[in-house]
Amino acid sequence: MNTARLTILHTNDMHGRMDAMARLSAAVRQRRAQVLQAGGQALFWDAGDALDRRYRLCSLSKGAALARVLNAMDYDLMTMGNDILLTYGPQAMAEVARRLACPVLAANCRDGDGPLAAGLQEATTVRLQQGPVVGVLGLTAPWGGLYESFGYRFPDFVDVAMRLAAELRSQGAQILIVLSHLGLIDDQKLAESVPGIDLIVGGHSHDLLEQGIEHHGVLIAQAGCYAEALGIVELILDGKTGRVLSRRARVERVEEDQEPDPAVLAAIEAAEVEAAGLAARPIGVLLTDLGLDHQEECALGNLTADALRERMQAEATLLLAGQLRHGLSAGTLTFGELGEAIFSTANPQCTLVHGRQILAALERCLDPAVAESRPHALRDAPVGRLQISGMRVAYDDTRPVGQRELRVWVGEALLEPDRPVRLAHSDAETTSQFGLLSLEPGQDTQTEVPTVIREVVEDYIRSHTPVGAPSGGRWQRQAASHQSPSGDRKP
């Protein structure tokens, strides 16, 4: 019988570990050479989240500079993860995809029946050297509606896969593979729901499946995370019909003493040069140091809150302190220094809220259990105290948590529970894992995308340079009284 031997080498969730990626790439080249020497064919795929905003090279360029690193690794195909699109928006994803030398698949990344996000493809076919045709479709995690701020309402991934499976078969695909960034649970749902899938190469859930798993007759493979292991799927196919005669999945650990790939090291160096050029761009001049204190009112927090309030033309601002990384020094400020100080990729928003919602958020941030918590999403920074603009807060910290007797003035008017306030914030304050600002049904939020908080501050400093110290005294401790923070008696 005429047979075809196909080896799929795969990675997922490398999250920007550049040194490990260079070692892994060298291991891939060795494995590819072995497959070729044995008369087989090897393809190299990635199942998403190759990059990560926590690394300077990625954050400064919104991922674009690192496309050259992925190109140096010689990928044949990728699916889109949430590393760039969810972090920086569609324009950033399109730029990364434009720079990549291989197709990027994500068939469900769209607004319902609308077109795909720019730069993406639904599916592709690969004709193997020995004859069979492989159909590959890509899917990515919908993230429970978080993409809606970018204008995307992901259709059901099972429905999308059903449609594309039929289309690929009609185009002559004899083997059907899903390159998935859905996570293992949804990969299993896909295997249960879509007939005819032969293999799912997955990511997102960081599962290290040593020998893959069989689920409803479908082989599911995943290679852990952080470029620590290479996934290998070996298929023997009928050369005429494409029928899978045998299949095996395994992973190979990439050892620390593996020599790195020189091509990848050179690409990392080139990316660093590109990022250094971006980092050196001057933004403006600071007349004074802007310090950061996550647990108190601080100069950097005040300036960031002021910038957000001006950007969104709002009456007041609430800003999660944990979005800020460290203070800024007086003098000429560069883009790189600002990027190091403001790590957040949250988007600016504005919502017409009630005074009671602001009061509840302020009260909550005074709870040490909340303020001192360090959620993973903040990369180990504390939630901290809300940084504010357009308002003044008097509170009694001698009273129990939740009973601080807050008195708040927006402008010069005492904030009443039912008073409507046009409030600037970001999507971070409303995220359930922080739980600071709770929006009510029917409250319409305006979101500016793909702008991130760093860019709000950058534009503010450019337009106001030279920038002095922002006004202080926005939070004031005092015993319960009827005095305003300015000392005026209030009725």
Side-chain angles (χ1 to χ4, degrees):
M1 179 187 292
N2 175 36
T3 60
R5 295 177 177 269
L6 172 63
T7 299
I8 299 170
L9 308 173
H10 61 94
T11 57
N12 58 275
D13 301 284
M14 295 185 292
H15 286 284
R17 276 29 177 215
M18 292 295 148
D19 291 343
M21 290 163 68
R23 293 193 296 269
L24 182 144
S25 182
V28 169
R29 293 191 194 283
Q30 294 167 6
R31 176 59 59 187
R32 274 185 138 165
Q34 293 168 2
V35 171
L36 183 63
Q37 188 174 17
Q41 182 173 351
L43 300 174
F44 186 28
W45 296 350
D46 180 73
D49 278 6
L51 309 180
D52 196 297
R53 68 183 175 93
R54 79 179 68 196
Y55 297 106
R56 178 172 174 272
L57 292 181
C58 188
S59 64
L60 287 174
S61 67
K62 294 187 174 181
L66 295 183
R68 66 178 78 229
V69 176
L70 299 176
N71 288 340
M73 294 176 75
D74 284 337
Y75 280 100
D76 297 298
L77 197 61
M78 294 182 177
T79 195
M80 185 198 80
N82 45 275
D83 50 353
I84 300 300
L85 179 61
L86 189 60
T87 303
Y88 297 113
Q91 290 88 339
M93 181 65 239
E95 178 60 17
V96 172
R98 185 187 69 80
R99 292 198 186 194
L100 286 171
C102 68
V104 182
L105 308 181
N108 59 331
C109 183
R110 63 202 322 146
D111 185 6
D113 294 328
L116 282 174
L120 303 180
Q121 298 180 29
E122 287 188 324
T124 190
T125 56
V126 180
R127 180 174 288 279
L128 302 183
Q129 294 165 356
Q130 297 93 337
V133 177
V134 178
V136 189
L137 65 96
L139 296 167
T140 195
W143 275 98
L146 289 182
Y147 284 108
E148 289 190 5
S149 63
F150 297 120
Y152 297 125
R153 293 166 181 80
F154 282 23
D156 182 81
F157 62 84
V158 170
D159 292 342
V160 172
M162 292 278 280
R163 173 177 62 82
L164 286 174
E167 290 181 9
L168 288 167
R169 293 290 188 189
S170 70
Q171 294 167 12
Q174 297 161 292
I175 306 107
L176 186 61
I177 302 176
V178 180
L179 188 55
S180 161
H181 194 74
L182 293 171
L184 182 57
I185 291 176
D186 282 343
D187 285 343
Q188 291 173 321
K189 179 180 178 182
L190 202 63
E192 296 165 8
S193 306
V194 182
I197 296 175
D198 295 292
L199 169 67
I200 298 174
V201 175
H204 186 51
S205 53
H206 295 204
D207 288 291
L208 184 69
L209 305 180
E210 297 279 2
Q211 296 178 318
I213 61 171
E214 290 274 350
H215 191 75
H216 279 245
V218 179
L219 178 61
I220 302 175
Q222 197 176 146
C225 56
Y226 307 144
E228 295 172 353
L230 172 65
I232 302 172
V233 176
E234 296 168 318
L235 302 173
I236 298 179
L237 311 170
D238 185 307
K240 219 177 248 191
T241 66
R243 185 168 62 89
V244 178
L245 303 176
S246 71
R247 60 191 183 186
R248 179 170 75 127
R250 57 194 173 92
V251 296
E252 287 185 355
R253 308 281 177 160
V254 180
E255 302 298 335
E256 291 282 343
D257 60 359
Q258 166 74 55
E259 287 293 322
D261 185 340
V264 174
L265 293 180
I268 293 171
E269 184 176 352
E272 288 175 342
V273 170
E274 180 179 347
L278 293 172
R281 289 189 290 119
I283 291 173
V285 175
L286 300 180
L287 298 176
T288 183
D289 292 348
L290 299 178
L292 172 63
D293 185 338
H294 286 114
Q295 304 300 345
E296 297 287 345
E297 175 185 346
C298 62
L300 181 59
N302 285 346
L303 180 130
T304 305
D306 288 347
L308 184 56
R309 180 164 66 98
E310 180 176 290
R311 179 69 163 240
M312 304 310 289
Q313 300 179 2
E315 296 175 77
T317 298
L318 295 180
L319 183 79
L320 180 73
Q323 300 187 70
L324 311 178
R325 187 61 56 178
H326 62 72
L328 295 170
S329 299
T332 299
L333 177 67
T334 66
F335 179 71
E337 290 167 340
L338 182 64
E340 292 289 335
I342 303 180
F343 187 67
S344 169
T345 60
N347 304 113
Q349 296 185 324
C350 190
T351 308
L352 187 65
V353 302
H354 300 296
R356 60 178 174 270
Q357 294 168 272
I358 295 175
L359 292 166
L362 295 170
E363 184 74 64
R364 183 160 171 73
C365 82
L366 291 173
D367 181 350
V370 174
E372 295 170 9
S373 65
R374 295 175 180 266
H376 174 72
L378 294 179
R379 301 299 193 263
D380 297 325
V383 168
R385 177 171 301 187
L386 284 167
Q387 302 298 301
I388 61 177
S389 177
M391 67 175 75
R392 296 168 292 163
V393 181
Y395 66 101
D396 181 2
D397 64 355
T398 66
R399 298 181 65 84
V401 171
Q403 302 175 36
R404 305 290 193 172
E405 293 205 358
L406 294 180
R407 291 172 63 78
V408 179
W409 287 261
V410 173
E412 294 302 317
L414 184 66
L415 180 63
E416 300 292 346
D418 292 329
R419 175 185 166 181
V421 178
R422 184 171 168 80
L423 181 71
H425 56 94
S426 74
D427 47 335
E429 292 76 41
T430 61
T431 301
S432 58
Q433 62 183 306
F434 308 137
L436 291 171
L437 177 63
S438 179
L439 300 184
E440 298 176 357
Q443 290 183 325
D444 184 39
T445 297
Q446 301 169 358
T447 304
E448 183 179 324
V449 292
T451 305
V452 296
I453 295 299
R454 178 188 67 197
E455 292 168 322
V456 171
V457 177
E458 178 185 0
D459 290 346
Y460 181 86
I461 292 174
R462 286 186 187 280
S463 63
H464 290 277
T465 195
V467 176
S471 63
R474 304 178 187 193
W475 281 92
Q476 292 190 1
R477 290 184 178 89
Q478 63 182 48
S481 72
H482 293 293
Q483 287 190 328
S484 75
S486 62
D488 298 331
R489 301 292 295 184
K490 296 289 179 180

